[in-house]
Amino acid sequence: MRLNHRILTQAMCAALLLVAGIASLSASATDQPKADQPEIFPLKQVKAGMKGIIYTIFTGDLVEPVEFEVIGVLPNTLGPEQDIILVQLKGEKAEHTGVAAGMSGSPAYIDGKLLGALSLKIGIFNKEAIGGVTPFKNMLEIQDGAAGDGGNSAVAGNHAAGLGNPAVDSNSARVRIPDPIAQRVGLGSGNFLIPIPTPLLFSGFYPQTLAQYSKEFASYGMTAMESGTAEASPEDAKIQRGDMVGMVLADGDASMSAGCTVTAIIGKRVFICGHPLFGLGAISMPMARGHVVTTLASAMESTKIMNTGGVIGTIKQDKVTAVMGELGAGPKMIPLEMTLVTPGGKKQLHFNLMDDRRLTPLLVGITTLNSIIGTPAYSEGSTLRLTGNIEIEGHSPVRFDNMFAPSEIMIPEGFFVANMVQSGFMSIFTNPYEQPHVNKINLQVECLPERRWAVIDGAWSEKSEVHPGETISVKVLLRPYRGAPVIQEVPLTIPVQAARGNLRIQVSDAEALNRMSRFLTAASQGQLTGLEELIQLVNRQRRNDRIYVTLLQPNPTLMVEDKELPNVPLSAINVLDHRRTPGGAMLLGESVAGEWSVDMNQVITGQQYVTITVK
């Protein structure tokens, strides 16, 4: 019995040790993501002359230490309790490149404790290896709004920082260096710090595209440059302090991303940049691994050249002191399918765009233009036909159907196509009724290798006196870009209920009628019943490859929300006029008695008027 008891006791002990071992392994696995919880160096202990290490990448994926010396602390630089630590980098590489674009977020340590992120540099045309460090304590504040704040607090925070502190130039995010400090390090007076520019990396984009849109991103402190992409790897998610990540705006057959350095990883949260990217607050943007190709030294502005690898998570916060991502799956993106039709055949392109009400319309425009410019048959003398739609969950699709002919101004024809798609997308995506869930954008651009364009040079009616119910022919003189003028007949029917007197016939292009539709769309914002009604209003846009003949009668038309009410009684006009509802109603001097159009398969421009008399 004693032997059995001893064996049983030993077995129980072994089992307990096994359970404890498994629990230990389980706890170790659970705690692993939280292993990098750095001890923070207290800001109040920072003194001039202290030495430390900054971790960053100059080439490849090798994180290198760079020594620095503290110059001083600039209190309340970016706002109340938003201090900046001024440091000078040491060593051959740092002195060769200075503080380069892409170093934003490089972690700074003193005595093995995390001080903060390198985030500011001396203004352009200066390779002095002097920069500003955002205290990590301030970067952690980004977690306060991690549940989402509508994306507005960061923007408000940026404005508050600029307006509330005289040390910050409100016209640009410039931080003046106090003269005593500047003179002590040999800078002289009048120097200032600016946020380290963020490399905006384009892969598969043409120079003509960047020329049209680069200014849109430069206002956010970004440096546009050509770059590439790297194959996704299971190793991509194994990032550490000093590594680079890409914040993906678009990917697919062309990609666009911004690059910053990782300051710290706490649990699944990744803290980067040390300054805002766009300052959009709550955001949903893919986070990818970044691989540095090299650091290009320049007297104007040194910069890291980076390739973007596989998606490793989601950027969720973009605020004054930092950008924060979360490791894991990437967010949902909006697919854009582009079909390019040329005499030589069809070409299919596919893109994914980040889903954000402030940035996605711009991404739609730049992606559309780039696709058109890359068409082999495209040239400055081409006519472009656009068709397509935006698929919106639970709603009718937004339709595109228009033609664009070359113009004499020095802007690519593709830009007008892209602008139409971008404007149509923006009007729906930023509507005041509900957040639309865009399933897909489908576009087709046909390239016609000639200039298809004609101006309305004259118009007349075969009869000057007509009777109610009579059908007459309106003749339109068209003068094409080249070749002999042509006459196009458009039949119209006088309404049976037409009263005696004069009627006007407007012979016009689509733009003359679309101006009123666009005015109605703008005036009705917030006045319609919902998104579906807005979509219908947008879909009423006329096509500019048709001649439009509109019969106008001298009776007032009342525009109420998206409704046209012709021949409104004077009593109804008086009632609505006394209500004074802003944007609710608009009175026009004429009513539309009928509208006719003819497809011309060329862009039509101009307008003429003809007067007839009803007997």
Side-chain angles (χ1 to χ4, degrees), residues 375-449:
T375 306
Y378 173 75
S379 68
E380 296 305 315
S382 302
T383 299
L384 303 174
R385 179 184 293 280
L386 167 70
T387 55
N389 61 66
I390 303 172
E391 298 177 12
I392 303 173
E393 186 176 322
H395 290 281
S396 302
V398 179
R399 297 188 300 271
F400 297 108
D401 190 349
N402 229 336
M403 184 178 280
F404 301 84
S407 64
E408 301 300 330
I409 60 178
M410 298 298 293
I411 297 178
E413 281 66 55
F415 179 78
F416 298 103
V417 179
N419 188 61
M420 180 181 183
V421 176
Q422 180 178 335
S423 299
F425 185 87
M426 180 180 291
S427 65
I428 300 301
F429 206 59
T430 61
N431 77 87
Y433 309 106
E434 63 179 86
Q435 177 61 46
H437 297 286
V438 178
N439 292 329
K440 195 176 184 182
I441 304 171
N442 304 288
L443 301 175
Q444 176 173 295
V445 176
E446 182 180 2
C447 190
L448 307 171

Side-chain angles (χ1 to χ4, degrees), residues 316-610:
K316 294 194 171 182
Q317 293 290 322
D318 174 19
K319 295 189 175 180
V320 176
T321 57
V323 176
M324 187 183 75
E326 187 172 298
L327 295 170
K332 174 184 175 293
M333 300 182 80
I334 298 176
L336 189 155
E337 300 288 344
M338 171 71 77
T339 302
L340 301 166
V341 181
T342 68
K346 288 186 178 182
K347 181 180 180 181
Q348 301 280 345
L349 296 174
H350 172 76
F351 309 94
N352 292 303
L353 310 178
M354 67 170 291
D355 189 345
D356 182 83
R357 64 182 178 84
R358 296 143 294 192
L359 291 178
T360 308
L362 178 61
L363 300 178
V364 169
I366 190 172
T367 305
T368 302
L369 176 60
N370 194 69
S371 301
I372 296 170
I373 289 177
T375 306
Y378 173 75
S379 68
E380 296 305 315
S382 302
T383 299
L384 303 174
R385 179 184 293 280
L386 167 70
T387 55
N389 61 66
I390 303 172
E391 298 177 12
I392 303 173
E393 186 176 322
H395 290 281
S396 302
V398 179
R399 297 188 300 271
F400 297 108
D401 190 349
N402 229 336
M403 184 178 280
F404 301 84
S407 64
E408 301 300 330
I409 60 178
M410 298 298 293
I411 297 178
E413 281 66 55
F415 179 78
F416 298 103
V417 179
N419 188 61
M420 180 181 183
V421 176
Q422 180 178 335
S423 299
F425 185 87
M426 180 180 291
S427 65
I428 300 301
F429 206 59
T430 61
N431 77 87
Y433 309 106
E434 63 179 86
Q435 177 61 46
H437 297 286
V438 178
N439 292 329
K440 195 176 184 182
I441 304 171
N442 304 288
L443 301 175
Q444 176 173 295
V445 176
E446 182 180 2
C447 190
L448 307 171
E450 66 263 2
R451 189 169 185 170
R452 299 189 180 186
W453 173 89
V455 62
I456 299 173
D457 208 27
W460 63 93
S461 170
E462 61 180 0
K463 299 177 69 176
S464 60
E465 295 183 347
V466 297
H467 295 88
E470 184 178 356
T471 298
I472 62 172
S473 178
V474 175
K475 294 181 171 57
V476 183
L477 177 64
L478 295 172
R479 192 173 300 279
Y481 170 62
R482 284 178 178 160
V486 296
I487 295 176
Q488 175 67 46
E489 293 191 13
V490 182
L492 65 84
T493 301
I494 307 301
V496 176
Q497 68 275 19
R500 293 184 178 182
N502 292 335
L503 298 178
R504 284 206 309 163
I505 300 174
Q506 175 181 294
V507 180
S508 70
D509 55 19
E511 180 61 23
L513 301 176
N514 286 339
R515 277 194 294 268
M516 179 55 65
S517 295
R518 285 195 294 270
F519 179 81
L520 286 174
T521 302
S524 62
Q525 290 293 304
Q527 302 294 328
L528 306 180
T529 59
L531 176 57
E532 182 65 28
E533 202 165 338
L534 178 60
I535 292 172
Q536 299 305 322
L537 196 60
V538 171
N539 284 342
R540 291 181 194 172
Q541 296 281 312
R542 278 81 168 184
R543 293 165 43 189
N544 60 5
D545 59 348
R546 304 179 73 90
I547 295 175
Y548 290 88
V549 174
T550 308
L551 187 62
L552 303 171
Q553 55 189 3
N555 299 320
T557 293
L558 196 63
M559 301 288 190
V560 180
E561 297 176 352
D562 70 326
K563 309 295 190 304
E564 299 181 15
L565 307 178
N567 305 313
V568 179
L570 184 61
S571 58
I573 294 175
N574 288 334
V575 169
L576 287 169
D577 186 55
H578 280 88
R579 288 176 58 188
R580 305 287 184 187
T581 305
M586 180 176 62
L587 187 65
L588 303 179
E590 293 178 308
S591 292
V592 175
E595 181 181 296
W596 299 263
S597 67
V598 176
D599 189 352
M600 300 302 298
N601 197 30
Q602 60 182 323
V603 175
I604 303 298
T605 183
Q607 63 180 342
Q608 297 283 333
Y609 287 92
V610 178

